Amino acid sequence: MTEQIEQIRAVMKRVFGFDDFRPGQEETLLKTMTGQPTLAVLPTGAGKTLLYQLPGVMLDGLVVIITPLISLMQDQVDRLRNVGQSRVAALNSSLDYQEQRWVLSHLSDLDFLFTSPETLIKPDVLRALHNQTISLFVIDEAHCISQWGPDFRPEYLLLNQALTTLKPQRLLMLTATATPAVQDDIINRLGLNINQVSRVVESVNRPNIFLAVQHLDNQDAKRRRLLELVTKLGTSGIVYLSSREGANQLAAWLNEQTSLRVAAYHAGVAPIDRYRIQQQFLTGTLDLVVATSAFGMGIDKSDIRYVIHFQMPVSLEAYVQEIGRAGRDSRQALAILLYCRGDEQIPLLLGKIDLPSAEILDQIKVGKTTDTILGDAAHVVSFYLTQGMSGREVVNVFAKLEEKRAGQVQRMLSYVQEDGCRRQNLLAYFGQREFLSDKFTCCDLTNPDWVVADLDLPPVQKKVSLPVLDWRSRLESLFAQPGLG
DNA sequence: CGGTGGGACGATAGCGTCCCACCGGTGCTCTATT
């Protein structure tokens, strides 16, 4: 055991230039290397990529990494090339047919292959991989199995079959955010035995993120509060809300009303612009991104100072993921949720799926023409039907899912309406109770007199500001209340 | 639930007002046209 650790340390130093493990890394590496299927729940910034990069360098055979986004695959390929690993490839639809053939016929020359669940389960891909020794199979962002599999990207539900076919020597599931229930769900949906999977679970607590919720009377009051907050907080921040058009409008308005450089980010933005916005935010050319849940995964910016939710997300898991992007540099950061009565309606509605009746579903012959009947859910419903489910079974799956999602919204609401300590509320959901060191920097409930200025956020950079309008200074005095230093 | 866009209507020239219907997130891949 110690010998193996010494070997691991040596490679870590030589190839990646690290001297020490971060919390959870050593345990995860040891378990993975010795062949135990391992689920690692490690907070953002814990160095999850090293957990497969290192075995990839040390082990013979191929490491296959399942990644939810093409952009993440490209990032990982680049990062490995930057540390001198050249036997690396991504396989996805951004490659043309010839390039894909080439990758599949050169698998034995690779140490790392990044791909999506959708590509992995294609018969020719499985066939090509079946002929390889897969030393390690990694599912990155493994919560996607639970979060996206059932109703958004159903191919995640076929990873269990892929595992059965490929029989990898080792298996590693990685995520930053998973409640005990989600951990179980991931393991179950992969067809694994709950007792045979080792778990390495670090706390989701991020002590340097101050937690606050502000209740406001209507949407307009929320907008005014938001304007005040971002004016004070400056760079760098993220504002989350739940509609694309809302993001466009809010971003345009903030650009107009402040000297901040603001962009809207959502799935409707052209890919080239999405890339540009990410880069500008990363390099500090943008101060603020107003985004839907599309923004986040793979955003590796250490000095995000605040995350403001203009609308509540669909679950506490989603909330923790989104605020977790703040303060990776360990300096003080701020997570504020602006709530107004009725805001839970949007997440509740997003959890609903309109389905044809079981009888109609039974009559559907899956094909190109089914999309108009099935609407938004076409892909996932077709998936279930081609898997051999009856109409009734499909209807039941979605009914259960809707129920589960409604419960998640309620749980999110309980955080909003908490009157004890928000951090304890949040940690309890993740099955964690721990000593909370500093009441002052914990949350708005343990420190009711908090103001932004007290949090000692790094100073806002001075920049040329637009002339202040009269009504704005009047607003400032109107809203000089607790919580708005 | 709340915001919005379109149509009807009213009172009378270029609009205001009301009501109703509608919509709201996340991404992979393939395929048939431009």
Side-chain angles (χ1 to χ4, degrees):
Chain A
M1 209 64 141
T2 36
E3 195 185 320
Q4 186 156 28
I5 276 296
E6 287 318 309
Q7 267 183 10
I8 292 174
R9 276 183 180 277
V11 175
M12 180 165 80
K13 174 75 181 158
R14 178 168 54 82
V15 180
F16 301 95
F18 299 131
D19 290 312
D20 279 307
F21 293 113
R22 296 198 204 153
Q25 278 185 327
E26 180 174 359
E27 192 185 351
T28 307
L29 278 167
L30 269 178
K31 286 185 163 153
T32 307
M33 292 292 274
T34 52
Q36 298 177 51
T38 304
L39 171 59
V41 186
L42 305 179
T44 323
K48 280 191 282 293
T49 55
L50 187 76
L51 300 175
Y52 57 79
Q53 289 179 344
L54 219 151
V57 172
M58 294 181 71
L59 296 166
D60 291 331
L62 180 65
V63 176
V64 175
I65 303 109
I66 303 302
T67 306
L69 306 182
I70 291 175
S71 61
L72 293 184
M73 291 180 214
Q74 317 296 40
D75 284 353
Q76 289 307 319
V77 168
D78 293 345
R79 281 172 67 167
L80 276 163
R81 294 212 167 117
N82 282 340
V83 293
Q85 300 296 308
S86 55
R87 294 159 56 95
V88 184
L91 184 64
N92 58 52
S93 64
S94 72
L95 278 61
D96 65 31
Y97 181 77
Q98 289 305 323
E99 292 169 326
Q100 293 189 32
R101 299 312 311 169
W102 193 90
V103 171
L104 285 178
S105 57
H106 289 78
L107 289 175
S108 53
D109 298 329
L110 293 176
D111 291 329
F112 299 93
L113 179 73
F114 293 86
T115 192
S116 65
E118 289 87 353
T119 295
L120 176 81
I121 61 156
K122 286 155 73 177
D124 54 335
V125 175
L126 280 178
R127 214 175 302 122
L129 281 169
H130 187 66
N131 296 325
Q132 301 296 315
T133 304
I134 298 174
S135 57
L136 175 62
F137 191 93
V138 182
I139 304 170
D140 199 11
E141 309 287 357
H143 59 278
C144 291
I145 296 171
S146 178
Q147 189 184 307
W148 280 356
D151 64 348
F152 183 51
R153 290 179 60 180
E155 288 79 2
Y156 262 103
L157 304 183
L158 293 180
L159 288 180
N160 60 347
Q161 293 178 26
L163 286 177
T164 311
T165 309
L166 297 175
K167 298 183 183 63
Q169 295 174 341
R170 298 170 188 80
L171 174 63
L172 176 61
M173 296 148 270
L174 294 172
T175 177
T177 323
T179 61
V182 170
Q183 293 167 27
D184 290 351
D185 195 43
I186 291 169
I187 294 168
N188 285 329
R189 289 187 187 275
L190 286 174
L192 305 168
N193 184 324
I194 285 261
N195 301 314
Q196 286 171 343
V197 176
S198 309
R199 305 187 194 192
V200 180
V201 182
E202 293 290 320
S203 172
V204 296
N205 190 25
R206 299 280 307 279
N208 63 316
I209 302 178
F210 186 87
L211 304 172
V213 174
Q214 301 196 342
H215 295 253
L216 295 147
D217 288 340
N218 55 49
Q219 298 302 315
D220 206 44
K222 271 176 28 181
R223 260 187 294 272
R224 293 193 305 256
R225 180 61 53 89
L226 176 72
L227 176 62
E228 231 179 3
L229 285 168
V230 302
T231 307
K232 290 208 164 68
L233 290 163
T235 199
S236 298
I238 306 175
V239 174
Y240 277 108
L241 39 58
S242 42
S243 90
R244 298 175 178 191
E245 198 39 45
N248 290 340
Q249 289 175 10
L250 207 52
W253 185 68
L254 289 173
N255 262 323
E256 200 179 287
Q257 299 294 331
T258 71
S259 60
L260 298 170
R261 296 158 298 181
V262 189
Y265 187 104
H266 51 72
V269 173
I272 183 77
D273 291 325
R274 291 178 68 166
Y275 178 77
R276 184 180 49 79
I277 291 166
Q278 279 197 27
Q279 291 306 311
Q280 291 182 341
F281 187 57
L282 227 62
T283 54
T285 326
L286 269 176
D287 300 304
L288 186 60
V289 177
V290 181
T292 63
S293 55
F295 190 70
M297 244 189 245
I299 304 297
D300 202 4
K301 180 173 170 64
S302 65
D303 59 351
I304 297 173
R305 292 272 66 82
Y306 61 99
V307 173
I308 299 175
H309 279 76
F310 191 75
Q311 280 153 345
M312 60 190 262
V314 295
S315 68
L316 209 42
E317 283 109 303
Y319 188 64
V320 167
Q321 279 165 30
E322 289 168 359
I323 66 173
R325 282 152 201 154
R328 289 192 193 171
D329 54 8
S330 299
R331 300 178 72 177
Q332 186 63 53
L334 180 55
I336 306 182
L337 191 151
L338 303 182
Y339 174 78
C340 141
R341 239 183 99 239
D343 274 1
E344 62 277 13
Q345 293 303 323
I346 296 178
L348 280 172
L349 283 163
L350 289 176
K352 295 208 164 120
I353 298 153
D354 281 331
L355 272 189
S357 69
E359 291 69 33
I360 293 177
L361 287 176
D362 279 330
Q363 291 161 19
I364 288 175
K365 296 275 173 287
V366 173
K368 288 169 199 165
T369 54
T370 51
D371 283 21
T372 47
I373 310 167
L374 298 174
D376 290 344
H379 177 62
V380 67
V381 174
S382 308
F383 172 87
Y384 284 129
L385 293 174
T386 44
Q387 292 291 302
M389 266 193 200
S390 69
R392 178 55 52 199
E393 285 168 327
V394 174
V395 167
N396 286 341
V397 165
F398 282 101
K400 277 201 185 126
L401 216 56
E402 282 189 5
E403 205 177 307
K404 184 176 151 195
R405 289 181 145 195
Q408 288 179 319
V409 175
Q410 286 309 318
R411 185 59 187 82
M412 183 68 225
L413 206 52
S414 97
Y415 171 85
V416 170
Q417 291 163 346
E418 171 68 42
D419 55 9
C421 167
R422 296 203 200 281
R423 198 169 300 266
Q424 273 175 17
N425 178 302
L426 195 150
L427 292 178
Y429 187 53
F430 289 88
Q432 294 165 5
R433 290 179 196 282
E434 52 194 279
F435 176 68
L436 303 166
S437 51
D438 192 343
K439 280 193 162 182
F440 187 73
T441 54
C442 174
C443 65
D444 56 343
L445 297 172
T446 56
N447 176 8
D449 301 322
W450 74 284
V451 288
V452 166
D454 287 344
L455 290 176
D456 198 24
L457 294 165
V460 175
Q461 268 187 348
K462 290 279 175 225
K463 51 172 76 83
V464 187
S465 53
L466 299 168
V468 177
L469 303 168
D470 262 344
W471 64 269
R472 226 170 107 198
S473 24
R474 269 187 284 133
L475 269 182
E476 295 237 351
S477 52
L478 268 174
F479 284 87
Q481 295 166 11
L484 291 164

